[in-house]
Amino acid sequence: MDPNSVNFVDLRQILGFLDQSSFLIASRASILSAWALNSKFCSLCGKAYSFNEAEGAFECSCNNAPNYPSISPCIITLIHDDDKILLGRSKFFPPNMYSTLAGFIEAGESAEEALIREVKEEVNVQVSDINYYSSQSWPFPAQLMLGYFCKYIEGEIALNDMELEDARWFNIKELPIIPPDTSISGQLIRSYIEDHSKL
Ligand SMILES: [Zn+2]
């Protein structure tokens, strides 16, 4: 293939057009290329890293410790209350798109603790009945999203931190634009609606 004929686009822009396996390949490529770009020098002694083919890691002769790609674990969660779900939007989203809430797991936290803390911080509500759904590699820049459902307990929505520009309850029959099925967020929402409609 002629590289000059290739049209590079931002992965985020084409999320909605990729199937699951193409997304996983693109996700891995994106994470690895960012890792290679940011792994030039040893942070202990400042010498240039070399690449250990057998290990698939960068290393330095000062300690020969392998430097693998670092992945940040995050929680992503659909908060539900019967036929209502709580979604939020960041100012970077396309107009009228709302999504599930997400956040980084901090040092020393379990995923469940991070979920309860993030939900409280971002929208001021209490949740329980945390149920694992599935996980997904998310290359913006290098997260592992752990997806959960959780049940609303109490609290009025208030945007406590600056992460979201809006958050509100939506009836599952009157949803705004939601993320595509390529993303775990879209999967969580569609899966909840499907299961709920069977009740
Ligand atoms: Zn070194």
Side-chain angles (χ1 to χ4, degrees):
M1 188 188 286
D2 175 8
N4 294 321
S5 72
V6 176
N7 188 12
F8 287 94
V9 294
D10 188 303
L11 183 53
R12 221 184 254 276
Q13 310 280 310
I14 55 165
L15 267 187
F17 311 113
L18 294 177
D19 60 34
Q20 209 46 246
S21 67
S22 307
F23 176 70
L24 282 180
I25 293 170
S27 172
R28 179 165 168 77
S30 174
I31 292 171
L32 292 181
S33 88
W35 168 62
L37 201 64
N38 289 299
S39 304
K40 300 290 185 206
F41 302 97
C42 172
S43 61
L44 288 178
C45 75
K47 271 192 289 192
Y49 268 140
S50 59
F51 189 69
N52 181 330
E53 292 273 350
E55 198 63 42
F58 290 99
E59 60 184 34
C60 174
S61 54
C62 78
N63 65 356
N64 289 318
N67 168 27
Y68 299 108
S70 39
I71 311 288
S72 306
C74 291
I75 58 88
I76 182 158
T77 188
L78 179 75
I79 305 166
H80 57 84
D81 185 14
D82 196 18
D83 58 358
K84 294 195 297 293
I85 59 178
L86 199 166
L87 302 175
R89 61 171 277 114
S90 97
K91 59 178 182 227
F92 305 109
F93 284 6
N96 200 35
M97 180 187 264
Y98 284 74
S99 180
T100 50
L101 305 189
F104 288 94
I105 299 176
E106 292 186 354
E109 267 184 336
S110 70
E112 290 80 3
E113 286 166 345
L115 187 156
I116 289 169
R117 175 186 53 75
E118 277 289 339
V119 167
K120 180 72 183 164
E121 278 176 14
E122 287 191 16
V123 293
N124 193 46
V125 307
Q126 299 275 3
V127 293
S128 73
D129 296 38
I130 299 167
N131 279 314
Y132 181 68
Y133 171 66
S134 77
S135 65
Q136 182 181 53
S137 169
W138 193 244
F140 307 108
Q143 290 97 286
L144 174 67
M145 309 303 291
L146 305 171
Y148 294 87
F149 297 108
C150 67
K151 191 170 161 28
Y152 169 78
I153 297 296
E154 61 176 6
E156 289 289 320
I157 294 177
L159 302 178
N160 287 338
D161 57 20
M162 306 308 280
E163 282 190 40
L164 298 173
E165 71 168 20
D166 190 25
R168 57 178 79 171
W169 288 103
F170 290 95
N171 187 289
I172 55 175
K173 293 196 174 75
E174 293 160 26
L175 289 180
I177 298 169
I178 57 172
D181 239 355
T182 334
S183 73
I184 193 167
S185 171
Q187 294 164 27
L188 277 163
I189 296 170
R190 289 177 182 88
S191 168
Y192 180 76
I193 294 172
E194 200 173 299
D195 288 352
H196 196 75
S197 335
K198 289 181 198 148
L199 297 179

